Amino acid sequence: MPINITSMLKQGYSRSIKRNGLMLMGIIFVISVLNGVLGLGVDRWIARQQFTSNGIQADPTLLVPPLGAGIVSLVLGVALLVVSIAAIRVFVSDETERLPREVFTRNMVWATINLFIGAIVFGIIVALGFVALIIPGIFLLVTLAFWTVYVAVEDQNFITAFRSSWGLTRGYRLNLFVLGVAVVLLTALINLVFGFGDLASGSFAGDIVALVFAQAASAITTVFSTAVLATAYTELNAQDDEEFGETISEDTTAGRPAA
């Protein structure tokens, strides 16, 4: 059974601009900007220092700011993972106003670890697929697209989530590829619009402006693509349940004795 790509895009957009969708954009934006400003600050600080091996030996405290920034950046990165998991959980639910506490707390350590390790494995698998004449990479990208949802929502480990996504996409992969292309094109358009912030780059203040524009685009596209992914997951599960129910009904009818 084909899926309605236009409807999924509209639903993804609709969920993105609901109150909790906008809240998620704001959270992602703030975390990303803080991380970016931290990186710019460290780059500027290093450029002003005599950051050589001899300088480090003479004054080991030169390592403190970069190491401290690295730790803070790691914490912010973990925070982004947590928010990403929470976003998936919100968008597969019917909640449109609040960000319930449980979406940020339920099995979060387990989900975060699996999402982190799974993302590395997923990236390697897809990269190897693209090396093998591109088509296998696209196939794997589409086939395994929903593994993050299974980790976040179903509390599966990433290996089981890969298998679940493989099964869920069976019969819909061409449609999902078209859906993915549409999301990529819309994302590229948003990035192009916000890319004008790069015109201000050059000075530190200009780099901050460019960073703000870039992270605003990133927050919007991240929430939108997550909403579309969650919508597609919900729709495919509903269709599978419907087909399963029809099969059971047919089997039951076939097993009844003739009147």
Side-chain angles (χ1 to χ4, degrees):
M1 183 183 297
I3 57 177
N4 192 325
I5 295 172
T6 303
S7 175
M8 287 184 179
L9 292 172
K10 288 181 178 178
Q11 289 183 57
Y13 168 75
S14 176
R15 290 301 302 269
S16 298
I17 61 173
K18 297 295 184 181
R19 187 170 183 268
N20 52 17
L22 295 175
M23 291 169 66
L24 287 166
M25 286 185 196
I27 295 171
I28 293 172
F29 173 74
V30 170
I31 294 174
S32 300
V33 168
L34 287 175
N35 205 4
V37 170
L38 182 66
L40 288 175
V42 170
D43 288 343
R44 294 274 174 169
W45 182 88
I46 291 176
R48 292 196 301 266
Q49 307 301 317
Q50 294 180 352
F51 210 70
T52 64
S53 58
N54 292 332
I56 293 173
Q57 292 175 2
D59 186 6
T61 59
L62 288 174
L63 289 174
V64 173
L67 289 176
I71 293 172
V72 174
S73 181
L74 177 62
V75 172
L76 292 174
V78 172
L80 276 177
L81 276 179
V82 170
V83 175
S84 299
I85 293 169
I88 294 172
R89 291 173 174 176
V90 166
F91 288 137
V92 299
S93 71
D94 295 326
E95 181 62 62
T96 59
E97 297 296 317
R98 301 181 305 112
L99 293 176
R101 179 181 297 179
E102 58 267 22
V103 303
F104 292 96
T105 57
R106 181 177 60 81
N107 289 337
M108 186 53 73
V109 174
W110 167 262
T112 302
I113 292 173
N114 273 276
L115 196 67
F116 177 75
I117 299 174
I120 296 173
V121 176
F122 175 73
I124 293 173
I125 292 173
V126 173
L128 291 175
F130 276 108
V131 170
L133 301 178
I134 298 179
I135 299 300
I138 296 174
F139 174 78
L140 290 169
L141 188 64
V142 172
T143 301
L144 304 179
F146 296 96
W147 76 271
T148 55
V149 185
Y150 282 101
V151 169
V153 178
E154 304 292 343
D155 297 325
Q156 295 182 358
N157 62 63
F158 68 91
I159 295 175
T160 304
F162 288 160
R163 295 172 181 165
S164 298
S165 181
W166 185 286
L168 182 68
T169 58
R170 187 178 292 113
Y172 304 101
R173 286 162 187 162
L174 182 58
N175 296 108
L176 291 172
F177 170 72
V178 176
L179 177 64
V181 170
V183 171
V184 168
L185 291 176
L186 289 171
T187 297
L189 179 61
I190 293 172
N191 285 324
L192 179 63
V193 171
F194 282 83
F196 287 107
D198 290 338
L199 298 176
S201 61
S203 63
F204 183 71
D207 289 344
I208 295 293
V209 171
L211 174 68
V212 168
F213 272 80
Q215 297 307 327
S218 177
I220 293 170
T221 55
T222 296
V223 170
F224 171 68
S225 58
T226 301
V228 173
L229 181 72
T231 299
Y233 167 82
T234 304
E235 180 68 22
L236 293 182
N237 268 320
Q239 290 199 18
D240 282 352
D241 290 343
E242 182 180 343
E243 291 176 2
F244 181 74
E246 290 176 354
T247 302
I248 294 296
S249 178
E250 291 173 359
D251 291 345
T252 304
T253 302
R256 290 176 183 170

